[in-house]
Amino acid sequence: MTETTYKPVVVWSKPESERAGTPLLVLFHGYLSNEQDLMGLVPGLPEEFTVAAVRAPVALGPGFTWFPLMHEPDFSLEKVTQAVADVCAWLDSVKGQHTSVSLLGFSMGMAVATSVLRHRPEEIAAVVGLSGFVVPAGGDPFFNDQAVKAARPPLFWGRDQADQVITPDKIEFTHAWVNEHVDLTKVLYPGVGHGVSAQELAHVKEFLTWKVLKG
């Protein structure tokens, strides 16, 4: 990995004076969105968490992206791993004041969250993936899938089967990967489309409470 001075734009749910000793939940937004997008979820999440929403590094259109879309010619696994390495470098600068680190990603943000888990499985308490997918890594050593499989970390995957945004090939791979590697909680939400419902957010709150706070 090349040296990076990447310092992401981050929005926090608590002032710095109130973060020490709290569990950290990092939010990763989707394609063409920004760090503010998922902060609307915060009131529905366990109040014990300090929530940090991170902006993706690449400006594109009306927002930002973590890496090119997988069907685009400029997509590469290296662009995924660079984005994840940068996130991990930032995490290294903040994780010391928190009791645990959990991740929540929406759409492409789920690909980022699960990739951080696969790179640093020993550091992540739980992952929430909403209407998203896992990146096929082709055995790239950056992704320590064997360690993930050995640890079986808790992962929540919520989606609508009628979601037209995440293509069937991504769903097929994700389904196979999560079933093999994690302690999976999978819930389908008909009618949600490519979004998040109040019921789903209530389930996420319950998942984080039992798997992280009381785990």
Side-chain angles (χ1 to χ4, degrees):
M1 296 275 79
T2 56
E3 288 295 319
T4 178
T5 56
Y6 170 71
K7 288 184 172 56
V9 174
V10 181
V11 177
W12 296 86
S13 66
K14 299 182 193 299
E16 190 167 2
S17 60
E18 297 177 15
R19 297 174 199 164
T22 62
L24 176 65
L25 178 65
V26 184
L27 310 185
F28 300 105
H29 64 76
Y31 182 66
L32 302 186
S33 190
N34 61 62
E35 70 282 2
Q36 296 286 350
D37 183 51
L38 298 178
M39 288 302 287
L41 302 179
V42 171
L45 297 170
E47 61 183 13
E48 292 89 341
F49 283 91
T50 292
V51 180
V54 182
R55 178 190 291 178
V58 182
L60 185 66
F64 299 84
T65 187
W66 299 97
F67 48 83
L69 295 175
M70 289 175 60
H71 66 267
E72 293 178 339
D74 56 342
F75 172 83
S76 69
L77 195 60
E78 183 180 3
K79 290 181 178 178
V80 178
T81 59
Q82 184 61 64
V84 172
D86 287 345
V87 166
C88 289
W90 167 77
L91 266 176
D92 286 343
S93 72
V94 300
K95 68 186 181 185
Q97 63 179 326
H98 297 283
T99 55
S100 64
V101 177
S102 299
L103 312 172
L104 183 155
F106 174 78
S107 194
M108 182 186 278
M110 178 180 172
V112 177
T114 52
S115 294
V116 172
L117 170 69
R118 295 163 77 186
H119 184 54
R120 298 269 191 94
E122 71 284 355
E123 296 182 15
I124 306 303
V127 173
V128 174
L130 307 177
S131 302
F133 61 98
V134 175
V135 174
D140 189 298
F142 184 88
F143 299 84
N144 196 352
D145 283 353
Q146 285 304 114
V148 178
K149 187 174 181 178
R152 290 272 174 180
L155 185 145
F156 180 98
W157 184 24
R159 58 180 293 266
D160 180 357
Q161 282 186 305
D163 183 346
Q164 298 296 310
V165 174
I166 308 302
T167 53
D169 59 314
K170 294 185 184 69
I171 296 300
E172 183 179 356
F173 177 83
T174 301
H175 194 268
W177 188 89
V178 294
N179 277 295
E180 184 177 350
H181 292 88
V182 300
D183 175 15
L184 178 65
T185 300
K186 180 187 175 187
V187 188
L188 297 174
Y189 299 93
V192 171
H194 194 62
V196 181
S197 70
Q199 181 190 38
E200 185 173 16
L201 186 56
H203 290 160
V204 169
K205 181 177 182 178
E206 183 179 20
F207 171 83
L208 289 171
T209 297
W210 286 99
K211 297 298 185 179
V212 180
L213 301 180
K214 298 182 179 180

